[in-house]
Amino acid sequence: MQKTEMLYEGKAKKVYATENPELYIVSYKDDATAFNGLKKGTIAGKGVINNRVTNYMMQMLEKNGVPTHFVEEISDSETVVKKVQIVPLEVIIRNISAGSFSKRYGVEEGIVFEQPTIEFSYKNDDLGDPLINEYHALALKLATREEIDTIKALAFKTNELMKDFFKKINVDLVDFKLEFGRLSDGTIVLADEISPDTCRFWDSRTHEKLDKDRFRRDLGNVEGAYQEMMRRILGE
Ligand code: TMP
Ligand code: ASP
């Protein structure tokens, strides 16, 4: 599979067209940003780690009944995916309080919820990805009622599968962000990435943070945490 033109460059990835109109190639970068691009940096080796970790997770989910855009890993940092139109919603699932949840509601980090929560942000950098509810999403025609119901069901199923997976490698899955896309025939599939950039991972025993919060909060050893997560996930 050959890349043709670059279609899009985001903060952490580039997307290329291919000779096949139904397939794209995603290329992961080492660039890191936080706070809607205000904080910028690089995390050495992140592109390779996020590519390999995402593909491992996507294949695990696909095997367990969650449809994804994954097709084939073609290099350490590049993957062939199905062409999708991204639904402009960031879907956030939380199992434990942290980050913007703790800030918004004035609670400490680390409260284990009896049930997971779900929230949506409108994917729009100019507006700073504002929090919205399902009715706002419908009013803005970001997705249909049927699509939102499918997305919620797939997001909660993904959470159950991922929680079980991470438990076995001694990681608490605190929260994560998913994005979904529409295939040409309208089918909703899981897209984008699942990586230490888009999830909060805490070591089950030490509670050490093993994710992008190390970069966001200047906690040090960012690369080491990403490598540790890849090692545990891929079992290397
Ligand atoms: P938050 O607590 O800042 O709302 O983040 C919740 C989860 O979503 C966390 O695992 C990090 C992830 N996330 C992204 O993947 N992209 C983003 O732009 C933001 C703000 C959070
Ligand atoms: N990736 C997002 C940004 O730059 C936010 C984050 O992950 O914290 O802005």
Side-chain angles (χ1 to χ4, degrees):
M1 189 64 49
Q2 289 293 318
K3 290 181 276 198
T4 54
E5 60 173 321
M6 188 173 81
L7 299 174
Y8 169 80
E9 177 159 13
K11 287 177 282 210
K13 296 187 285 297
K14 294 179 189 173
V15 180
Y16 295 89
T18 68
E19 315 98 65
N20 183 329
E22 293 302 321
L23 299 177
Y24 286 163
I25 289 174
V26 179
S27 175
Y28 287 74
K29 307 193 286 186
D30 285 353
D31 299 347
T33 64
F35 316 115
N36 200 22
L38 244 78
K39 183 182 171 90
K40 290 191 176 72
T42 50
I43 300 173
K46 177 170 86 76
V48 168
I49 292 171
N50 285 3
N51 182 50
R52 298 188 63 199
V53 164
T54 295
N55 293 342
Y56 190 95
M57 296 311 301
M58 292 279 179
Q59 289 174 92
M60 183 280 284
L61 293 167
E62 190 87 53
K63 245 192 290 175
N64 287 284
V66 176
T68 77
H69 71 164
F70 176 80
V71 177
E72 186 190 6
E73 187 170 291
I74 52 169
S75 78
D76 269 359
S77 62
E78 292 179 314
T79 295
V80 179
V81 297
K82 293 176 188 164
K83 174 184 153 182
V84 296
Q85 179 192 46
I86 290 286
V87 177
L89 291 172
E90 298 201 339
V91 183
I92 294 154
I93 299 269
R94 299 178 192 271
N95 297 305
I96 300 175
S97 65
S100 70
F101 182 97
S102 288
K103 201 167 171 212
R104 185 177 317 118
Y105 303 120
V107 296
E108 64 191 296
E109 296 200 321
I111 303 164
V112 180
F113 303 146
E114 278 178 25
Q115 291 184 61
T117 68
I118 189 164
E119 70 208 39
F120 302 99
S121 291
Y122 175 26
K123 217 174 126 60
N124 183 317
D125 281 341
D126 294 339
L127 300 175
D129 299 341
L131 196 63
I132 63 169
N133 68 32
E134 294 176 29
Y135 296 91
H136 299 145
L138 287 171
L140 292 168
K141 295 198 180 337
L142 305 182
T144 65
R145 163 51 54 199
E146 202 187 1
E147 287 175 334
I148 292 173
D149 289 343
T150 301
I151 285 171
K152 282 198 297 187
L154 291 175
F156 282 121
K157 181 168 184 175
T158 296
N159 183 46
E160 293 309 311
L161 292 166
M162 283 181 35
K163 253 193 330 192
D164 288 351
F165 175 85
F166 284 105
K167 199 170 176 181
K168 291 184 197 137
I169 55 169
N170 292 309
V171 169
D172 290 338
L173 179 62
V174 176
D175 56 33
F176 58 94
K177 184 265 297 179
L178 299 175
E179 294 184 26
F180 292 85
R182 299 178 186 100
L183 299 179
S184 312
D185 68 0
T187 307
I188 294 284
V189 298
L190 182 60
D192 195 54
E193 66 179 280
I194 299 175
S195 71
D197 272 14
T198 63
C199 304
R200 282 197 175 92
F201 298 128
W202 293 353
D203 183 278
S204 303
R205 287 169 293 210
T206 65
H207 301 293
E208 185 191 356
K209 296 186 197 313
L210 296 171
D211 56 61
K212 195 176 166 190
D213 271 349
R214 302 204 73 84
F215 170 78
R216 296 189 189 98
R217 304 179 187 187
D218 296 318
L219 299 176
N221 196 28
V222 184
E223 280 87 0
Y226 276 69
Q227 281 160 16
E228 174 64 15
M229 281 310 303
M230 177 167 80
R231 194 186 63 72
R232 289 197 204 182
I233 292 167
L234 302 188
E236 285 170 352

